[in-house]
Amino acid sequence: MACFRGNREEFYGEVLLLDDRKLTLTVEQGIKRSSKSADVLQLVFSHLNLIQVEFFGLRFCDDKQQTHWLVPSKTLSQHRDLRGPPYIFYFGVKFYIEDPSELKEETTQYQFYLQLRQDIYRGRLPCSTRVRARLSAFMLQVEQGDYGGDDASESEEKQDVERIYKSLKGVSQSQAQGLFLSLCSSLNMYGVSLFAAYGENHTEYFLGPAPVGVVVYKNKELVGKYFWQRITKLHFKDETFELRVIRRNGSETSFFFQTSDRYDCQRLWKCCIEHHTFFSFYGNTSSGSESEKTGSNRERQRRKTRTRSPHSDHGPDYRRRRHRSYSPDAEIWKHIKMQQVEPDGLMDRQMEEIPYKEVRVLGEPIRTRVSQRHQRSEMTLLPPLPVTMTTDVSLRSPTSS
């Protein structure tokens, strides 16, 4: 019996890192099936010398090739979908902050770079051919430094990459990395995790958490965005997922989606809950500010940052280097800012709030509630997804109530 118990504690696993290296996990390292997941995470964080560990996690695949994040408070054996040995884990970014180029800790920013590079290569972060050429040039500058006169490329796309790569001469690798992160974070699908669901008339949608809130897509177009500050309830029952948001007049509205089964609904709910909890906390404690930052304050700060020279975001180390002869001159920086970075309007469109459109449908009515400073509104009937695209762009990211 003792031998049998010992076999149950045997453990062998691997962690696949973002730079394609592998970290082996064995009993000799103190890792067993009865170990807390937090112990495994700490082993990985120590190996990578990570300080800002809150953004990262470990995933694993179940029998259906669905991915799950390790829960730090649980033991490995309590993760019922974990299969092994060998136990395979994937290290990566779990929570994508709005602008990773603003991260001050070098190791943290580099891991974000590796994650986004992987997202680009594997198609998880789609972009146009023009943007992909810019990102590829930034990656070459980060990983190889200045252009060294390689052989001419034949394809038009590679020629575009080469042309942009040449224009980056004199840009330091850390600055190129910051430009790469800024451009990635401006893309619509940056940090988005989507789940299939159905709305009114069995219309198919894809929804899930993003850095700014819960987004909803239909036919590959964004049709709904609900900011974390506005979300007051996330709930699921069987195959029904409920999202409750507070509107500008103080009333609350619930939106309902149907998933294929209870398992998928629970995964969607759990993912949204984790992101809502993280960003509600992180928004009050990050970016070197002790005061609470609302979405509108972040947007104003972002616009101010875009108008400054990229020199200003590289700290004291850059200020010591900026007067050396190899620093790029003003004309190069002007070219980079005008040609290599997406127009300001892209971020503005990303931050637009999509107005609601209520439609009366059959079904049990949902009572809307208002804050104490408003009168109680009447009962209304709402569809599973009462939102629509509109040309009205007057609504922006919400402010604190």
Side-chain angles (χ1 to χ4, degrees):
M1 292 298 293
C3 180
F4 179 74
R5 287 195 299 270
N7 290 336
R8 292 186 62 185
E9 288 298 326
E10 286 183 1
F11 187 89
Y12 178 82
E14 291 181 341
V15 177
L16 304 184
L17 303 175
L18 291 171
D19 57 3
D20 296 328
R21 292 182 298 152
K22 294 182 180 180
L23 176 62
T24 302
L25 304 174
T26 63
V27 176
E28 285 72 20
Q29 295 169 302
I31 304 299
K32 301 178 290 187
R33 280 185 53 82
S34 60
S35 299
K36 289 283 188 179
S37 299
D39 297 335
V40 181
L41 286 164
Q42 186 57 48
L43 185 66
V44 177
F45 296 152
S46 298
H47 178 78
L48 295 173
N49 295 317
L50 265 179
I51 299 175
Q52 293 178 287
V53 300
E54 62 270 21
F55 305 114
F56 304 95
L58 292 176
R59 292 174 296 164
F60 62 90
C61 290
D62 61 17
D63 291 337
K64 299 179 181 179
Q65 295 303 305
Q66 298 288 345
T67 59
H68 307 265
W69 292 97
L70 281 182
V71 180
S73 60
K74 290 185 176 181
T75 65
L76 294 174
S77 60
Q78 287 176 324
H79 292 81
R80 298 180 179 179
D81 295 311
L82 180 61
R83 297 292 179 262
Y87 301 94
I88 307 299
F89 303 98
Y90 304 86
F91 173 79
V93 175
K94 184 176 183 179
F95 302 110
Y96 292 73
I97 62 171
E98 287 188 55
D99 190 354
S101 67
E102 295 180 357
L103 290 167
K104 303 304 181 184
E105 209 280 309
E106 292 183 2
T107 305
T108 305
Q109 189 182 99
Y110 182 64
Q111 292 300 322
F112 265 86
Y113 166 78
L114 293 176
Q115 178 67 76
L116 290 168
R117 184 186 68 171
Q118 186 183 99
D119 292 347
I120 292 292
Y121 284 151
R122 298 185 178 181
R124 289 196 297 262
L125 184 55
C127 59
S128 66
T129 302
R130 181 172 58 91
V131 173
R132 187 180 180 89
R134 296 171 183 174
L135 292 172
S136 298
F138 289 148
M139 286 188 281
L140 287 172
Q141 187 71 17
V142 170
E143 297 167 15
Q144 299 182 19
D146 287 344
Y147 178 76
D150 297 334
D151 294 337
S153 302
E154 296 181 359
S155 68
E156 183 177 350
E157 181 177 353
K158 289 184 177 180
Q159 289 177 359
D160 289 340
V161 173
E162 185 176 313
R163 174 180 56 80
I164 299 171
Y165 183 24
K166 290 179 180 178
S167 72
L168 295 173
K169 185 176 182 180
V171 178
S172 72
Q173 292 171 299
S174 62
Q175 292 162 356
Q177 181 174 288
L179 291 169
F180 174 86
L181 294 174
S182 293
L183 183 52
C184 283
S185 64
S186 71
L187 299 174
N188 287 334
M189 293 300 294
Y190 166 76
V192 176
S193 300
L194 293 179
F195 297 79
Y198 299 92
E200 184 183 10
N201 298 325
H202 208 67
T203 303
E204 186 178 35
Y205 296 95
F206 289 89
L207 72 153
V212 296
V214 175
V215 294
V216 183
Y217 282 83
K218 176 184 177 183
N219 297 328
K220 298 183 180 181
E221 292 187 4
L222 181 67
V223 296
K225 181 181 291 185
Y226 309 97
F227 293 94
W228 296 122
Q229 300 96 321
R230 296 287 190 88
I231 296 175
T232 60
K233 182 178 181 181
L234 294 162
H235 177 71
F236 84 100
K237 183 178 182 181
D238 298 329
E239 297 88 16
T240 302
F241 175 74
E242 177 186 359
L243 174 68
R244 183 176 296 175
V245 297
I246 187 168
R247 301 164 69 177
R248 286 189 176 276
N249 63 3
S251 64
E252 287 183 322
T253 305
S254 289
F255 303 93
F256 294 89
F257 300 89
Q258 298 292 322
T259 58
S260 58
D261 53 41
R262 187 181 187 278
Y263 176 77
D264 287 344
C265 195
Q266 185 178 19
R267 289 182 64 240
L268 168 61
W269 169 82
K270 182 179 179 181
C271 191
C272 289
I273 282 289
E274 289 176 338
H275 280 72
H276 186 270
T277 302
F278 176 83
F279 286 108
S280 296
F281 171 79
Y282 181 75
N284 295 339
T285 60
S286 64
S287 303
S289 174
E290 296 179 357
S291 61
E292 181 175 355
K293 295 185 178 181
T294 64
S296 59
N297 289 336
R298 285 193 295 268
E299 176 62 6
R300 285 195 294 270
Q301 182 63 31
R302 186 188 302 277
R303 289 174 179 172
K304 290 171 62 179
T305 302
R306 287 199 299 262
T307 61
R308 297 198 305 263
S309 165
H311 297 176
S312 60
D313 289 330
H314 293 278
D317 183 54
Y318 182 78
R319 287 194 293 270
R320 289 194 297 270
R321 302 194 310 261
R322 64 184 300 179
H323 297 299
R324 295 181 183 179
S325 59
Y326 61 78
S327 296
D329 58 26
E331 288 301 316
I332 292 179
W333 275 119
K334 181 179 180 181
H335 176 75
I336 291 171
K337 292 176 67 178
M338 295 297 295
Q339 301 296 328
Q340 312 304 326
V341 182
E342 283 292 286
D344 292 349
L346 180 61
M347 185 56 65
D348 292 338
R349 291 196 300 273
Q350 183 181 356
M351 294 301 295
E352 287 175 8
E353 179 176 359
I354 298 176
Y356 304 103
K357 179 182 178 182
E358 297 184 8
V359 182
R360 302 185 71 85
V361 297
L362 295 177
E364 183 179 354
I366 303 300
R367 182 179 296 277
T368 61
R369 298 179 298 177
V370 298
S371 59
Q372 294 181 356
R373 65 177 182 272
H374 294 87
Q375 295 181 354
R376 184 173 298 275
S377 60
E378 295 180 355
M379 189 178 299
T380 58
L381 294 174
L382 302 174
L385 186 66
V387 294
T388 182
M389 288 294 291
T390 177
T391 57
D392 180 10
V393 295
S394 60
L395 297 178
R396 297 293 176 183
S397 55
T399 57
S400 297
S401 57

mmCIF file of all heavy atoms in Angstrom, residues 164-185:
data_model
loop_
_atom_site.group_PDB
_atom_site.id
_atom_site.type_symbol
_atom_site.label_atom_id
_atom_site.label_comp_id
_atom_site.label_asym_id
_atom_site.label_seq_id
_atom_site.Cartn_x
_atom_site.Cartn_y
_atom_site.Cartn_z
ATOM 1 N N ILE A 164 10.936 48.995 -44.135
ATOM 2 C CA ILE A 164 10.654 49.566 -42.813
ATOM 3 C C ILE A 164 11.802 49.272 -41.848
ATOM 4 O O ILE A 164 12.201 50.126 -41.049
ATOM 5 C CB ILE A 164 9.329 49.010 -42.267
ATOM 6 C CG1 ILE A 164 8.168 49.375 -43.204
ATOM 7 C CG2 ILE A 164 9.044 49.540 -40.870
ATOM 8 C CD1 ILE A 164 6.863 48.680 -42.861
ATOM 9 N N TYR A 165 12.338 48.081 -41.953
ATOM 10 C CA TYR A 165 13.453 47.686 -41.092
ATOM 11 C C TYR A 165 14.644 48.623 -41.286
ATOM 12 O O TYR A 165 15.295 49.064 -40.319
ATOM 13 C CB TYR A 165 13.822 46.235 -41.404
ATOM 14 C CG TYR A 165 14.923 45.644 -40.554
ATOM 15 C CD1 TYR A 165 15.224 46.138 -39.287
ATOM 16 C CD2 TYR A 165 15.653 44.554 -41.020
ATOM 17 C CE1 TYR A 165 16.212 45.576 -38.513
ATOM 18 C CE2 TYR A 165 16.647 43.978 -40.253
ATOM 19 C CZ TYR A 165 16.936 44.494 -39.002
ATOM 20 O OH TYR A 165 17.927 43.933 -38.234
ATOM 21 N N LYS A 166 14.937 48.974 -42.532
ATOM 22 C CA LYS A 166 16.034 49.897 -42.805
ATOM 23 C C LYS A 166 15.786 51.264 -42.161
ATOM 24 O O LYS A 166 16.710 51.911 -41.678
ATOM 25 C CB LYS A 166 16.209 50.069 -44.319
ATOM 26 C CG LYS A 166 16.769 48.853 -45.045
ATOM 27 C CD LYS A 166 16.885 49.138 -46.538
ATOM 28 C CE LYS A 166 17.435 47.945 -47.288
ATOM 29 N NZ LYS A 166 17.516 48.209 -48.758
ATOM 30 N N SER A 167 14.523 51.696 -42.183
ATOM 31 C CA SER A 167 14.202 53.021 -41.643
ATOM 32 C C SER A 167 14.355 53.092 -40.132
ATOM 33 O O SER A 167 14.361 54.182 -39.557
ATOM 34 C CB SER A 167 12.773 53.404 -42.027
ATOM 35 O OG SER A 167 11.823 52.639 -41.294
ATOM 36 N N LEU A 168 14.477 51.948 -39.468
ATOM 37 C CA LEU A 168 14.603 51.920 -38.007
ATOM 38 C C LEU A 168 16.051 52.022 -37.531
ATOM 39 O O LEU A 168 16.315 51.880 -36.330
ATOM 40 C CB LEU A 168 13.975 50.632 -37.456
ATOM 41 C CG LEU A 168 12.462 50.486 -37.642
ATOM 42 C CD1 LEU A 168 12.007 49.100 -37.219
ATOM 43 C CD2 LEU A 168 11.721 51.548 -36.862
ATOM 44 N N LYS A 169 16.972 52.237 -38.448
ATOM 45 C CA LYS A 169 18.383 52.317 -38.065
ATOM 46 C C LYS A 169 18.577 53.412 -37.012
ATOM 47 O O LYS A 169 18.105 54.529 -37.159
ATOM 48 C CB LYS A 169 19.241 52.612 -39.292
ATOM 49 C CG LYS A 169 20.733 52.590 -38.990
ATOM 50 C CD LYS A 169 21.548 52.789 -40.253
ATOM 51 C CE LYS A 169 23.036 52.725 -39.948
ATOM 52 N NZ LYS A 169 23.860 52.920 -41.175
ATOM 53 N N GLY A 170 19.270 53.063 -35.952
ATOM 54 C CA GLY A 170 19.502 54.000 -34.860
ATOM 55 C C GLY A 170 18.525 53.872 -33.723
ATOM 56 O O GLY A 170 18.731 54.446 -32.654
ATOM 57 N N VAL A 171 17.447 53.121 -33.927
ATOM 58 C CA VAL A 171 16.467 52.899 -32.860
ATOM 59 C C VAL A 171 16.963 51.756 -31.982
ATOM 60 O O VAL A 171 17.290 50.675 -32.485
ATOM 61 C CB VAL A 171 15.080 52.565 -33.437
ATOM 62 C CG1 VAL A 171 14.079 52.289 -32.315
ATOM 63 C CG2 VAL A 171 14.593 53.700 -34.321
ATOM 64 N N SER A 172 17.037 51.978 -30.687
ATOM 65 C CA SER A 172 17.541 50.936 -29.795
ATOM 66 C C SER A 172 16.552 49.776 -29.749
ATOM 67 O O SER A 172 15.370 49.910 -30.080
ATOM 68 C CB SER A 172 17.759 51.491 -28.386
ATOM 69 O OG SER A 172 16.518 51.735 -27.747
ATOM 70 N N GLN A 173 17.045 48.632 -29.320
ATOM 71 C CA GLN A 173 16.193 47.440 -29.259
ATOM 72 C C GLN A 173 15.066 47.610 -28.247
ATOM 73 O O GLN A 173 13.944 47.151 -28.474
ATOM 74 C CB GLN A 173 17.053 46.223 -28.936
ATOM 75 C CG GLN A 173 18.002 45.857 -30.075
ATOM 76 C CD GLN A 173 19.003 44.803 -29.701
ATOM 77 O OE1 GLN A 173 19.823 45.002 -28.794
ATOM 78 N NE2 GLN A 173 18.973 43.673 -30.390
ATOM 79 N N SER A 174 15.329 48.275 -27.147
ATOM 80 C CA SER A 174 14.273 48.485 -26.154
ATOM 81 C C SER A 174 13.207 49.438 -26.684
ATOM 82 O O SER A 174 12.013 49.263 -26.413
ATOM 83 C CB SER A 174 14.868 49.041 -24.860
ATOM 84 O OG SER A 174 15.473 50.307 -25.079
ATOM 85 N N GLN A 175 13.620 50.432 -27.461
ATOM 86 C CA GLN A 175 12.649 51.355 -28.046
ATOM 87 C C GLN A 175 11.809 50.666 -29.116
ATOM 88 O O GLN A 175 10.607 50.891 -29.217
ATOM 89 C CB GLN A 175 13.379 52.567 -28.623
ATOM 90 C CG GLN A 175 14.009 53.450 -27.561
ATOM 91 C CD GLN A 175 15.063 54.378 -28.130
ATOM 92 O OE1 GLN A 175 15.374 54.317 -29.320
ATOM 93 N NE2 GLN A 175 15.618 55.229 -27.285
ATOM 94 N N ALA A 176 12.452 49.822 -29.927
ATOM 95 C CA ALA A 176 11.712 49.057 -30.933
ATOM 96 C C ALA A 176 10.711 48.120 -30.272
ATOM 97 O O ALA A 176 9.590 47.935 -30.767
ATOM 98 C CB ALA A 176 12.683 48.267 -31.803
ATOM 99 N N GLN A 177 11.091 47.554 -29.152
ATOM 100 C CA GLN A 177 10.168 46.693 -28.412
ATOM 101 C C GLN A 177 8.965 47.477 -27.920
ATOM 102 O O GLN A 177 7.827 47.002 -27.980
ATOM 103 C CB GLN A 177 10.899 46.054 -27.227
ATOM 104 C CG GLN A 177 10.042 45.115 -26.393
ATOM 105 C CD GLN A 177 10.871 44.414 -25.333
ATOM 106 O OE1 GLN A 177 11.665 43.539 -25.636
ATOM 107 N NE2 GLN A 177 10.684 44.814 -24.083
ATOM 108 N N GLY A 178 9.198 48.695 -27.431
ATOM 109 C CA GLY A 178 8.089 49.535 -27.000
ATOM 110 C C GLY A 178 7.159 49.899 -28.142
ATOM 111 O O GLY A 178 5.932 49.913 -27.982
ATOM 112 N N LEU A 179 7.726 50.190 -29.323
ATOM 113 C CA LEU A 179 6.906 50.497 -30.491
ATOM 114 C C LEU A 179 6.077 49.282 -30.900
ATOM 115 O O LEU A 179 4.904 49.408 -31.281
ATOM 116 C CB LEU A 179 7.792 50.953 -31.645
ATOM 117 C CG LEU A 179 8.469 52.312 -31.474
ATOM 118 C CD1 LEU A 179 9.515 52.522 -32.554
ATOM 119 C CD2 LEU A 179 7.442 53.430 -31.490
ATOM 120 N N PHE A 180 6.670 48.101 -30.841
ATOM 121 C CA PHE A 180 5.958 46.862 -31.154
ATOM 122 C C PHE A 180 4.781 46.661 -30.210
ATOM 123 O O PHE A 180 3.654 46.356 -30.641
ATOM 124 C CB PHE A 180 6.931 45.685 -31.068
ATOM 125 C CG PHE A 180 6.289 44.338 -31.231
ATOM 126 C CD1 PHE A 180 6.092 43.796 -32.488
ATOM 127 C CD2 PHE A 180 5.885 43.605 -30.116
ATOM 128 C CE1 PHE A 180 5.498 42.544 -32.637
ATOM 129 C CE2 PHE A 180 5.297 42.356 -30.255
ATOM 130 C CZ PHE A 180 5.106 41.821 -31.517
ATOM 131 N N LEU A 181 5.024 46.836 -28.917
ATOM 132 C CA LEU A 181 3.949 46.640 -27.931
ATOM 133 C C LEU A 181 2.832 47.658 -28.106
ATOM 134 O O LEU A 181 1.651 47.329 -27.984
ATOM 135 C CB LEU A 181 4.535 46.719 -26.517
ATOM 136 C CG LEU A 181 5.518 45.615 -26.125
ATOM 137 C CD1 LEU A 181 6.129 45.900 -24.763
ATOM 138 C CD2 LEU A 181 4.840 44.250 -26.123
ATOM 139 N N SER A 182 3.180 48.904 -28.381
ATOM 140 C CA SER A 182 2.168 49.940 -28.571
ATOM 141 C C SER A 182 1.284 49.637 -29.770
ATOM 142 O O SER A 182 0.059 49.797 -29.711
ATOM 143 C CB SER A 182 2.831 51.306 -28.746
ATOM 144 O OG SER A 182 3.468 51.716 -27.563
ATOM 145 N N LEU A 183 1.906 49.203 -30.865
ATOM 146 C CA LEU A 183 1.128 48.902 -32.061
ATOM 147 C C LEU A 183 0.240 47.687 -31.845
ATOM 148 O O LEU A 183 -0.921 47.678 -32.259
ATOM 149 C CB LEU A 183 2.068 48.676 -33.248
ATOM 150 C CG LEU A 183 1.416 48.418 -34.609
ATOM 151 C CD1 LEU A 183 0.383 49.484 -34.938
ATOM 152 C CD2 LEU A 183 2.478 48.348 -35.694
ATOM 153 N N CYS A 184 0.751 46.666 -31.177
ATOM 154 C CA CYS A 184 -0.071 45.475 -30.883
ATOM 155 C C CYS A 184 -1.277 45.840 -30.029
ATOM 156 O O CYS A 184 -2.394 45.368 -30.270
ATOM 157 C CB CYS A 184 0.770 44.424 -30.168
ATOM 158 S SG CYS A 184 1.900 43.499 -31.235
ATOM 159 N N SER A 185 -1.067 46.675 -29.015
ATOM 160 C CA SER A 185 -2.160 47.014 -28.098
ATOM 161 C C SER A 185 -3.217 47.877 -28.763
ATOM 162 O O SER A 185 -4.321 48.026 -28.227
ATOM 163 C CB SER A 185 -1.615 47.722 -26.852
ATOM 164 O OG SER A 185 -1.018 48.965 -27.190
#
